Amino acid sequence: MTGETGHKLRGDYSRMRPDYTVDQEWESYSSAEHDLWRRLYARQESLIAKHACDEFNDTLESLHFGEGIPRFDAINAKLKPATNWQLVAVPGLLPDLTFFDHLANRRFPVTVWLRDPQEFDYIVEPDIFHDFFGHVPMLFNPVFANYIQAYGRGGIKAHALGAIEMLARLYWYTVEFGLIDTPKGLRTYGAGILSSGGEIAYSLESPKPNRIGFDLLRIMRTRYKIDTFQETYFVIRDFRELFDATAPDFTPYYAQLRGHEPYAPSVVLPTDRVYHRGVSPQRAA
Ligand SMILES: [Fe+2]
């Protein structure tokens, strides 16, 4: 298996099933790995209280998985009755269609291996800490959980239409790096931000990046960076806005976007709703 940059993936893909799932083999985690998990968790926990949205914070608190690498089956026993989702253990990144098929069937793939201690602050490939800490709490939110499933279904369609690159930008700028406008100010629900030590404060407080109101077509036309903090974040008003945006058939959108050059990650357009100092354009007016 190779990643999108062509490098060899580090997971063990030798024992997977045809759908790329494996057993978590929780007993094989070492005490050093559980200790690293506790340290990663403690650092993030201290950062998220004033940066994550309430939906994330409240669920995280109720799940109690800070004491060591969690067992997927224990979380599944809570997740299934909450939103009918299930976690499945995987060796790492998956082929696009396999990934979409899991999401479309309300199965969220979680990588089984944990980063090395020297990767405490930064890791290239998503590991169990990113996948679990960043993504799992939001799967307990019914509207967001439905959005992820709709995204998976859309992915299967996009695969057939050769439009994955455009659709992937939506996942990147929402599920991974999305911000939300709340009565308490801007917060994040994006897993890439929530599992990062540095980007969490940067995404919400730095004067450098653009913060722009959610716009589906604009997002699907905007490139992103995978090796630096983001230059632009998109802000939703609520999770319903996100889910509703995925309701239409994207086929005509792809046709419309195909004739246009994608925007650079840093660009601001005259039509953008720009948030200044975290204040929404509407509230500032
Ligand atoms: Fe992720």
Side-chain angles (χ1 to χ4, degrees):
M1 284 288 295
T2 53
E4 61 184 86
T5 54
H7 71 282
K8 189 178 177 321
L9 298 177
R10 65 200 258 183
D12 176 7
Y13 290 81
S14 67
R15 283 183 291 172
M16 67 188 186
R17 303 176 188 96
D19 66 355
Y20 280 72
T21 61
V22 293
D23 294 324
Q24 186 190 11
E25 296 180 10
W26 187 84
E27 292 73 17
S28 67
Y29 295 118
S30 68
S31 56
E33 287 175 314
H34 286 297
D35 180 58
L36 176 58
W37 176 279
R38 276 191 289 277
R39 289 189 287 124
L40 284 162
Y41 186 99
R43 192 264 300 267
Q44 286 315 104
E45 192 183 29
S46 69
L47 293 170
I48 59 154
K50 65 178 181 139
H51 294 108
C53 62
D54 287 347
E55 289 84 351
F56 183 91
N57 278 329
D58 295 346
T59 304
L60 187 78
E61 215 170 287
S62 71
L63 291 177
H64 308 294
F65 59 75
E67 288 308 307
I69 298 173
R71 292 176 184 266
F72 295 174
D73 50 5
I75 296 295
N76 279 338
K78 297 177 180 174
L79 184 56
K80 181 89 176 168
T83 56
N84 199 30
W85 272 77
Q86 290 282 273
L87 309 182
V88 289
V90 294
L93 292 170
L94 306 180
D96 291 329
L97 201 50
T98 309
F99 180 62
F100 295 142
D101 187 63
H102 280 304
L103 299 187
N105 289 286
R106 297 177 93 86
R107 295 186 301 260
F108 196 83
V110 176
T111 300
V112 290
W113 53 266
L114 182 66
R115 67 191 67 189
D116 293 330
Q118 64 270 23
E119 296 168 307
F120 194 84
D121 288 319
Y122 178 74
I123 184 161
V124 179
E125 271 179 60
D127 70 337
I128 185 173
F129 186 75
H130 164 81
D131 285 347
F132 208 103
F133 187 96
H135 288 287
V136 170
M138 291 307 300
L139 291 174
F140 281 79
N141 180 269
V143 180
F144 192 77
N146 287 342
Y147 167 65
I148 305 273
Q149 179 181 34
Y151 179 86
R153 287 174 172 161
I156 293 169
K157 217 184 226 177
H159 188 265
L161 294 167
I164 282 182
E165 197 179 10
M166 289 181 256
L167 188 70
R169 293 178 187 135
L170 179 62
Y171 192 89
W172 187 267
Y173 281 119
T174 60
V175 179
E176 295 292 357
F177 291 95
L179 304 184
I180 181 167
D181 191 4
T182 81
K184 296 175 181 173
L186 290 189
R187 294 284 186 273
T188 181
Y189 64 93
I193 301 174
L194 290 163
S195 63
S196 159
E199 190 154 359
I200 195 158
Y202 170 89
S203 67
L204 293 163
E205 291 160 9
S206 168
K208 276 170 74 179
N210 309 314
R211 299 176 186 88
I212 295 172
F214 178 85
D215 176 336
L216 179 69
L217 284 164
R218 161 80 159 94
I219 289 174
M220 291 202 293
R221 203 181 153 182
T222 306
R223 289 201 182 97
Y224 55 82
K225 297 269 182 77
I226 62 166
D227 53 356
T228 61
F229 291 168
Q230 300 304 302
E231 292 176 286
T232 293
Y233 300 93
F234 289 93
V235 184
I236 58 170
R237 293 193 184 95
D238 53 39
F239 294 115
R240 176 58 59 182
E241 178 182 29
L242 206 51
F243 179 71
D244 289 349
T246 56
D249 177 10
F250 283 12
T251 311
Y253 297 162
Y254 298 143
Q256 186 186 330
L257 292 169
R258 225 171 231 122
H260 300 282
E261 261 300 291
Y263 297 122
S266 59
V267 80
V268 177
L269 306 174
T271 47
D272 287 338
R273 288 185 296 116
V274 180
Y275 286 68
H276 294 288
R277 298 181 307 280
V279 177
S280 90
Q282 290 80 3
R283 286 180 191 170

